């Protein structure tokens, strides 16, 4: 869900797999992640909800049927409020590898391709503005930026995590502008420490408030950014770079 400085890159998945050894990196991460469990109360400790209500925002969804509905914050916000009222003990979430018709901004165009970047690479947690967000693991700040772009991330932070078995990154997008101003590159953060709060519509890229959470096994050549959506034609590559975050949460609903 964000602009990136490298949108001109066109990947050749099979070649990059061989060059970067992504298959092995991916397997190492999965082997480690299968032994982990991150309850939702770690990332959202203040809302006391442990279950997920899965929301479908793919092209076939029935919640917001048009781009205009989705991009109308009052309309979409009301839809989420209705779902939340019916499911008060659950967090509304979903979206990994969904093909969405929601990305209308030019920042989702791809150079030398008629395709739109519309395959979602993370999970979205639809929660109110100012909801506190906490780190799942000990980490190092490698990016803390407030994007001004329409339909970008707004405030977002990328953490680097290192274990004996694997190195990976987590991205927390659509935070408040103040949240990212509290950190500098190379700052460390502990598991369970507060990263920031969800931003409002005006500061989070013009989205209904939510957290975009994404795992990356490499940052490739990106600086101060990373794609939150990808081209369908390159999905095999991006799946290996950005594993399903539910490997950590282990929710049956995701």
């Amino acid at each position: 869900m964000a602009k990136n400085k490298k949108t001109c890159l066109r990947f050749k998945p099979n070649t990059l797999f061989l060059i970067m050894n992504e298959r092995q990196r991916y397997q190492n991460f999965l082997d480690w992640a299968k032994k982990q469990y991150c309850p939702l109360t770690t990332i959202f400790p203040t809302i006391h909800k442990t279950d997920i209500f899965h929301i479908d925002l793919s092209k076939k969804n029935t919640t917001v049927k048009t781009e205009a509905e989705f991009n109308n914050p009052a309309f979409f916000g009301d839809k989420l409020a209705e779902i939340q009222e019916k499911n008060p003990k659950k967090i509304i979430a979903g979206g990994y590898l969904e093909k969405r018709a929601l990305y209308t901004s030019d920042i989702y165009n791809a150079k030398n391709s008629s395709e739109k970047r519309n395959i979602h690479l993370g999970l979205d947690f639809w929660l109110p503005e100012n909801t506190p967000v906490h780190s799942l693991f000990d980490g190092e700040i490698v990016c803390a930026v407030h994007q001004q772009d329409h339909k970008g991330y707004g405030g977002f932070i990328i953490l680097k995590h290192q274990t004996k078995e694997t190195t990976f990154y987590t991205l927390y997008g659509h935070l408040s502008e103040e949240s990212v101003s509290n950190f500098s590159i190379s700052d460390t953060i502990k598991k369970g420490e507060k990263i920031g709060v969800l931003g409002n519509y005006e500061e989070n890229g013009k989205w209904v408030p939510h957290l975009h959470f994404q795992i990356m096994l490499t940052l490739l050549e990106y600086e101060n950014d990373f794609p939150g959506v990808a081209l369908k034609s390159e999905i095999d590559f991006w799946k290996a770079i950005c594993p399903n975050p539910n490997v950590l949460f282990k929710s049956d609903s995701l």
Side-chain angles (χ1 to χ4, degrees):
M1 281 190 173
K3 174 181 179 289
N4 64 78
K5 299 176 182 177
K6 302 289 185 178
T7 51
C8 59
L9 287 177
R10 293 286 291 153
F11 295 100
K12 297 179 180 180
N14 292 335
T15 301
L16 283 179
F17 282 159
L18 293 173
I19 294 174
M20 302 173 64
N21 199 20
E22 294 302 343
R23 286 194 182 96
Q24 188 59 55
R25 194 197 320 247
Y26 181 78
Q27 191 58 52
N28 289 346
F29 173 78
L30 285 188
D31 291 343
W32 173 83
K34 287 176 182 177
K35 302 174 185 177
Q36 311 303 313
Y37 170 57
C38 300
L40 294 170
T41 50
T42 302
I43 191 170
F44 303 117
T46 64
I47 61 175
H48 310 297
K49 296 178 182 179
T50 58
D51 294 321
I52 293 290
F53 178 89
H54 181 265
I55 187 171
D56 177 6
L57 294 176
S58 69
K59 287 189 172 183
K60 298 180 180 179
N61 90 85
T62 58
T63 303
V64 281
K65 299 178 183 180
T66 67
E67 293 173 7
E69 288 179 348
F70 181 85
N71 289 311
N72 180 328
F75 180 89
F76 186 38
D78 286 346
K79 286 290 186 181
L80 291 172
E82 290 175 10
I83 295 171
Q84 192 69 83
E85 185 176 2
K86 294 177 182 177
N87 300 274
K89 297 182 179 180
K90 296 183 178 182
I91 298 174
I92 303 170
Y96 181 66
L97 295 189
E98 277 186 352
K99 184 175 183 179
R100 295 175 168 177
L102 313 172
Y103 305 113
T104 55
S105 172
D106 289 344
I107 66 175
Y108 298 106
N109 294 336
K111 189 175 181 180
N112 301 322
S113 174
S114 59
E115 283 188 89
K116 200 85 168 176
R117 293 188 301 120
N118 58 12
I119 304 295
H120 192 247
L121 297 175
L123 283 175
D124 288 335
F125 295 92
W126 299 92
L127 292 161
E129 64 183 82
N130 293 320
T131 298
V133 178
H134 293 240
S135 178
L136 288 179
F137 304 100
D138 293 351
E140 175 189 355
I141 304 287
V142 295
C143 177
V145 175
H146 183 252
Q147 289 184 339
Q148 301 292 333
D149 305 277
H150 179 67
K151 296 302 182 183
Y153 282 123
F156 77 105
I157 287 173
I158 297 176
L159 301 180
K160 181 179 181 179
H161 311 282
Q162 289 183 294
T163 73
K164 293 180 180 179
E165 300 86 357
T166 187
T167 298
F168 66 102
Y169 303 82
T170 52
L171 186 155
Y172 301 78
H174 307 298
L175 304 176
S176 70
E177 184 174 2
E178 182 180 2
S179 296
V180 300
S181 70
N182 292 328
F183 293 102
S184 298
I185 302 303
S186 299
D187 283 353
T188 58
I189 192 166
K190 294 294 185 181
K191 175 181 178 179
E193 185 177 343
K194 183 179 175 180
I195 295 172
V197 301
L198 296 185
N200 61 40
Y201 179 81
E202 295 301 326
E203 63 183 344
N204 75 1
K206 299 294 193 298
W207 298 97
V208 172
H210 70 287
L211 177 73
H212 175 94
F213 178 77
Q214 187 170 323
I215 298 171
M216 298 91 74
L217 303 186
T218 173
L219 295 183
L220 300 171
E221 299 176 13
Y222 291 92
E223 297 178 1
N224 293 326
D225 207 348
F226 199 87
V229 289
L231 298 176
K232 183 179 180 180
S233 61
E234 296 172 352
I235 192 59
D236 288 340
F237 171 77
W238 287 105
K239 283 194 298 185
I241 294 294
C242 301
N244 188 345
N246 196 38
V247 71
L248 300 176
F249 300 113
K250 295 177 172 57
S251 168
D252 292 338
S253 299
L254 291 172

